[in-house]
Amino acid sequence: MLGFRVAILVSLLSSFHALELTDRGVDRYELEPRLTEHLNRFASASNVEESLNYGQMVVEKSIRAEGAIVGGRDRKINRGGVAYAQLIDGYPTPDTERQDRLAGTVLRASSYFVNRYCASWAIPSYECGLFLSGIALPESSPLYARCRSLIEAKEHNDQYRRLLPAVYDDGIYSFRRSVTGQELPSARVVSSKFHSRTGADDNDPGRHTAALVQWSQFIEHDLAKTTVQTMHDGADIECCTMEHGPLLPRYRHPAACAPIPVPVDDPFYREHRATCLNYVRSARSLGDSCQLGPANQLNAATAHLDLSQLYGSTVNESMVQRTHQGGRLRSQQYDSLDYLPDGSASLCVTDEQLETICYSSGDSRVNVNPYVTLLHTLFLRSHNRLAKHLALVAPQHWTDEQLFTVARLVNTRVYRKIVREWLTTITGSGGTRSTLDQDPQPDQTAQQRVSNEFATAAIRFYHTMMPGTVGNVPLQTLFYRPKDLRKRDYFRQLIDSVLHQSAMALDTAYVDEVAHLLFGSVSRQIGLDVLALDIQRGRDHGLARYVDYYALCNGGDRIDDWNQLESVMRPDDLAILRSTYARVEDVDLIVGGVAERPKATAAGVGAIVGPTFSCLIREQIERSLTEEKGQAGAEIDVLVDGMLKDYGAARFMCDTAPVDRVQRDIFRLPSPVDNPSLDCSQLPSLDLTRLVQALDVAAGGWPQLRRRMDHASA
């Protein structure tokens, strides 16, 4: 019997091409037919049911273990600690918690299937996981009914899509390993090599303004919000002590915790005897079809460029933001100007040494730093300004709902127009559409989602450009500790910083405020490392390797030797990568992406980011912009596009901020030669009269618009 089994195994392994990560890249959702046929024999209803039963049993044990964890520490995370700021950053909701818990059960069932049926036949875990992603839960299973109920209750597609299949060591959920079989270097070991590097920036320093950083983070918040896992009773999870030390095993969550180990000789943390950086794994999604397979993560933001960070991602969240009078959003008035309304203190970090005020908007991250808070404020003002103007020019029979809908439409279109300006600055003018020629997931629903690669790596480039101060205020003192924007001098200081303060160059050097002081206590002078967190999150999300995305974005050109990167990266960065990773195939996407030289374009202004991130960013932004064409109807689209033809970021600042002059391109420092400052009176303003007339004359024009916008946000 054993001889027969071995013979079958040898035959199978010789007839299908098993994945060899050392020799070739990650396949795009394809398996050899012979392997699929063989795996189908294992995927019987009884075997899948057996796997699901095992998954439920493991979850029940986990729930009992959580009781001991909660009993051994305070139930609530300290509001003055870094873990609390991380919690706000990935704030879970009851809906995301319910979906994550059920997804966790399905993941454990998938792991059981891999170990029970694939490992025993020496079938690579990657390919087994890829096969399972096409296996739906049996409709007879109680888990299927729970899954369908959760999916049908969702208001928007809240799972990231993938440009390449997930890469987990076990095919399902454990962090990938080096192609040598060893563990990858700690995320902090990798990041510290770059943070400790000395030398001047060589990526055209001083050319771009802090507005570029501000808008990059604001756009990220519109399209991506990765939430964190919680315990089954909703209790928060913490994976390190408040002193950045390791928790005793009995107090550390076995599934959700993936803390970043810090070497005892770390160049910064050794002075603080810190050996642990908190990281709670991201919440997982069920997708839309209740299937087995590798983990994928939840996205609590909408997939549209719809200002959901201002208006909210759901209908209920949007209703909370409104006054329901005159089409306006809630605000507080001071000196006849709109400011964000006060929010719950739970959305800010408590610090006894600082006096803070907490603001409310459509996203829990509104208070993360002054740049983000300011842009929320400006778009709030823009909406209410539009609603007020509409009320003056529209017929008296227009209701609050009509005024709100049209003000939101125009405000969102203004936003998208500026996003196009931002995209040109980031990826260069004269560039072509992303080199990704087709979507690897043909499912139409999947195409409407945000890519995991964009959300988890590519858009995170802006942290390398983050200045260490906002004006003359250290950034460290401002993370989730907002100051009072109603103080006129402070507000003007923020505007001046956005328009005239230089952003850092995009390279692998990060300022201290995000390299090891992120979210940290002002008194202790210690915090987190944003690059280490981004590396860890990429591994948590099962992103493929940098070389795989380089090949995907560069016509299939593969990198299999360090020397091939000499034309792509700076020599000092390449030297660090060589000394840190065992093989070039091990490099994480976020690390390789920020280490690339800026992309050269065929014509016009060059890019800020390198070719791989340029490809991933452009793919997502162009997709989002294209999908949203036609949502308001062809006639309205033509009118709004014409109205905004000459409107841009500079005029937006004039309309919402206390400025009389502004440079033509707000993302670059003013220059009398190629970026002059202009009087606001020289910049075209908006005229809403024709739009109002068209909506009012067209029979049922605005109700149709309302339905389209509701559908677009769903």
Side-chain angles (χ1 to χ4, degrees):
M1 181 67 180
L2 179 60
F4 173 76
R5 180 185 177 94
V6 171
I8 292 293
L9 176 59
V10 170
S11 173
L12 280 168
L13 291 178
S14 63
S15 63
F16 67 80
H17 187 64
L19 179 73
E20 294 290 344
L21 287 177
T22 56
D23 298 328
R24 53 182 289 223
V26 176
D27 285 340
R28 299 181 75 181
Y29 301 91
E30 296 178 358
L31 287 174
E32 294 288 344
R34 181 73 183 275
L35 175 59
T36 302
E37 179 184 351
H38 181 66
L39 286 170
N40 276 327
R41 299 172 190 168
F42 294 142
S44 64
S46 60
N47 287 349
V48 172
E49 193 68 45
E50 175 190 339
S51 301
L52 292 172
N53 290 337
Y54 178 84
Q56 289 179 290
M57 180 187 69
V58 173
V59 167
E60 290 169 1
K61 289 183 178 179
S62 176
I63 293 174
R64 291 195 292 271
E66 287 178 352
I69 294 173
V70 172
R73 65 164 177 83
D74 291 336
R75 187 175 179 83
K76 296 295 184 181
I77 293 176
N78 186 291
R79 284 189 52 202
V82 296
Y84 190 79
Q86 287 178 287
L87 180 64
I88 302 173
D89 227 39
Y91 209 75
T93 67
D95 288 340
T96 63
E97 289 175 329
R98 283 190 291 269
Q99 191 172 165
D100 171 65
R101 289 165 198 153
L102 185 54
T105 303
V106 176
L107 275 182
R108 288 175 172 87
S110 299
S111 295
Y112 176 85
F113 186 98
V114 170
N115 292 322
R116 175 72 174 82
Y117 299 106
C118 294
S120 59
W121 284 86
I123 296 173
S125 58
Y126 165 82
E127 299 196 345
C128 189
L130 198 57
F131 167 78
L132 285 175
S133 64
I135 302 299
L137 302 185
E139 294 188 12
S140 59
S141 169
L143 292 179
Y144 178 82
R146 288 173 56 194
C147 179
R148 291 309 313 170
S149 176
L150 286 174
I151 288 174
E152 290 167 5
K154 295 191 301 184
E155 290 192 36
H156 57 85
N157 298 320
D158 57 358
Q159 174 177 280
Y160 290 118
R161 63 186 169 91
R162 292 185 183 273
L163 298 174
L164 289 176
V167 177
Y168 289 109
D169 183 57
D170 62 350
I172 301 298
Y173 197 45
S174 63
F175 285 17
R176 70 180 177 92
R177 301 172 75 88
S178 165
V179 294
T180 65
Q182 303 299 311
E183 288 189 1
L184 291 169
S186 160
R188 172 59 190 177
V189 168
V190 177
S191 65
S192 64
K193 296 288 185 67
F194 293 106
H195 296 331
S196 59
R197 177 172 63 90
T198 59
D201 296 331
D202 61 358
N203 183 17
D204 198 9
R207 175 182 169 190
H208 296 97
T209 63
L212 190 68
V213 178
Q214 175 194 41
W215 271 83
S216 299
Q217 190 164 19
F218 194 67
I219 292 167
E220 177 199 17
H221 288 186
D222 190 16
L223 291 175
K225 186 177 184 182
T226 302
T227 61
V228 296
Q229 295 181 33
T230 60
M231 297 193 199
H232 284 75
D233 65 352
D236 305 325
I237 297 173
E238 195 167 14
C239 303
C240 300
T241 67
M242 284 192 63
E243 294 75 29
H244 299 279
L247 290 172
L248 292 174
R250 65 176 179 271
Y251 297 143
R252 193 175 80 182
H253 198 285
C257 277
I260 302 170
V262 178
V264 293
D265 61 348
D266 185 272
F268 173 80
Y269 288 109
R270 65 186 175 193
E271 297 179 10
H272 302 271
R273 298 182 179 179
T275 58
C276 183
L277 299 183
N278 188 65
Y279 182 83
V280 180
R281 299 194 71 170
S282 301
R284 300 147 299 189
S285 172
L286 290 166
D288 287 315
S289 53
C290 298
Q291 58 200 24
L292 298 168
N296 203 0
Q297 287 69 36
L298 276 167
N299 182 12
T302 68
H304 305 286
L305 289 164
D306 57 1
L307 279 176
S308 59
Q309 69 275 53
L310 176 71
Y311 294 107
S313 295
T314 67
V315 173
N316 286 339
E317 289 174 355
S318 178
M319 296 296 282
V320 169
Q321 302 305 319
R322 297 172 55 180
T323 64
H324 301 283
Q325 294 181 339
R328 297 187 302 274
L329 290 173
R330 288 194 307 118
S331 67
Q332 52 179 316
Q333 289 269 324
Y334 190 78
D335 282 350
S336 301
L337 293 172
D338 280 329
Y339 293 88
L340 292 170
D342 290 338
S344 168
S346 64
L347 295 180
C348 292
V349 171
T350 299
D351 196 317
E352 295 179 355
Q353 297 188 15
L354 298 172
E355 180 181 351
T356 60
I357 182 172
C358 214
Y359 295 107
S360 173
S361 191
D363 189 291
S364 66
R365 297 165 292 183
V366 58
N367 300 293
V368 64
N369 65 53
Y371 291 138
V372 171
T373 310
L374 175 64
L375 206 43
H376 275 263
T377 304
L378 298 186
F379 272 105
L380 167 73
R381 289 182 176 181
S382 176
H383 176 96
N384 285 351
R385 175 178 171 274
L386 289 166
K388 180 179 179 180
H389 186 49
L390 284 167
L392 293 175
V393 299
Q396 292 185 355
H397 63 76
W398 272 37
T399 64
D400 164 73
E401 192 68 29
Q402 289 171 289
L403 293 171
F404 173 81
T405 299
V406 179
R408 179 175 181 174
L409 166 69
V410 178
N411 204 29
T412 303
R413 289 298 180 84
V414 167
Y415 165 64
R416 292 178 196 159
K417 181 81 183 304
I418 302 174
V419 168
R420 292 183 184 276
E421 295 181 41
W422 169 87
L423 181 63
T424 298
T425 304
I426 296 300
T427 63
S429 65
T432 59
R433 185 175 172 83
S434 168
T435 55
L436 301 183
D437 55 355
Q438 61 181 359
D439 196 297
Q441 300 175 90
D443 176 55
Q444 185 64 33
T445 302
Q447 292 183 24
Q448 296 172 356
R449 297 191 178 109
V450 174
S451 79
N452 212 326
E453 293 83 356
F454 170 86
T456 309
I459 190 60
R460 306 282 291 175
F461 77 88
Y462 65 83
H463 283 113
T464 74
M465 304 181 72
M466 186 81 75
T469 61
V470 178
N472 57 7
V473 181
L475 185 62
Q476 180 202 0
T477 65
L478 300 171
F479 291 122
Y480 286 112
R481 301 177 180 94
K483 293 181 177 292
D484 192 346
L485 293 184
R486 294 169 301 182
K487 294 180 179 179
R488 188 175 302 177
D489 290 344
Y490 179 61
F491 197 91
R492 289 184 179 276
Q493 179 185 353
L494 284 181
I495 296 295
D496 185 68
S497 173
V498 166
L499 295 176
H500 301 110
Q501 184 174 348
S502 296
M504 305 301 290
L506 195 156
D507 54 24
T508 53
Y510 290 63
V511 296
D512 289 349
E513 283 71 15
V514 295
H516 40 246
L517 299 175
L518 180 71
F519 300 153
S521 165
V522 176
S523 59
R524 291 195 61 206
Q525 290 296 304
I526 180 175
L528 298 174
D529 172 357
V530 73
L531 179 56
L533 292 175
D534 285 343
I535 294 170
Q536 193 80 340
R537 190 176 297 109
R539 297 173 183 179
D540 176 16
H541 288 211
L543 297 188
R545 299 90 46 89
Y546 161 71
V547 294
D548 297 314
Y549 293 106
Y550 181 88
L552 181 68
C553 288
N554 291 276
D557 293 341
R558 296 218 55 80
I559 298 290
D560 52 24
D561 185 87
W562 290 111
N563 294 332
Q564 292 175 267
L565 291 176
E566 290 178 354
S567 62
V568 179
M569 298 179 179
R570 304 172 189 87
D572 53 346
D573 288 334
L574 183 54
I576 291 174
L577 292 179
R578 282 178 181 266
S579 66
T580 306
Y581 291 96
R583 295 278 294 274
V584 68
E585 294 90 351
D586 293 340
V587 177
D588 296 279
L589 173 59
I590 181 69
V591 177
V594 297
E596 286 184 342
R597 298 178 188 272
K599 177 186 176 184
T601 54
V605 178
I608 289 178
V609 295
T612 303
F613 274 8
S614 179
C615 159
L616 299 178
I617 291 170
R618 185 172 283 275
E619 189 274 342
Q620 181 58 59
I621 298 299
E622 286 184 341
R623 177 186 295 273
S624 294
L625 289 171
T626 301
E627 285 174 353
E628 285 147 14
K629 290 294 289 182
Q631 287 176 354
E635 180 184 358
I636 303 303
D637 273 340
V638 170
L639 278 172
V640 175
D641 288 347
M643 185 174 65
L644 295 176
K645 181 176 181 295
D646 298 315
Y647 194 90
R651 181 67 207 201
F652 174 78
M653 296 299 294
C654 290
D655 288 340
T656 58
V659 294
D660 298 318
R661 294 177 62 83
V662 63
Q663 64 263 41
R664 188 184 300 277
D665 180 355
I666 70 166
F667 299 125
R668 292 189 297 130
L669 291 171
S671 165
V673 177
D674 62 355
N675 194 27
S677 292
L678 303 173
D679 285 332
C680 288
S681 60
Q682 296 177 261
L683 298 168
S685 59
L686 292 177
D687 182 1
L688 301 175
T689 306
R690 286 187 60 204
L691 177 62
V692 169
Q693 291 173 346
L695 284 169
D696 200 54
V697 170
W702 86 263
Q704 293 177 21
L705 172 63
R706 177 64 184 174
R707 286 194 294 272
R708 289 190 184 104
M709 292 193 69
D710 283 344
H711 176 72
S713 298

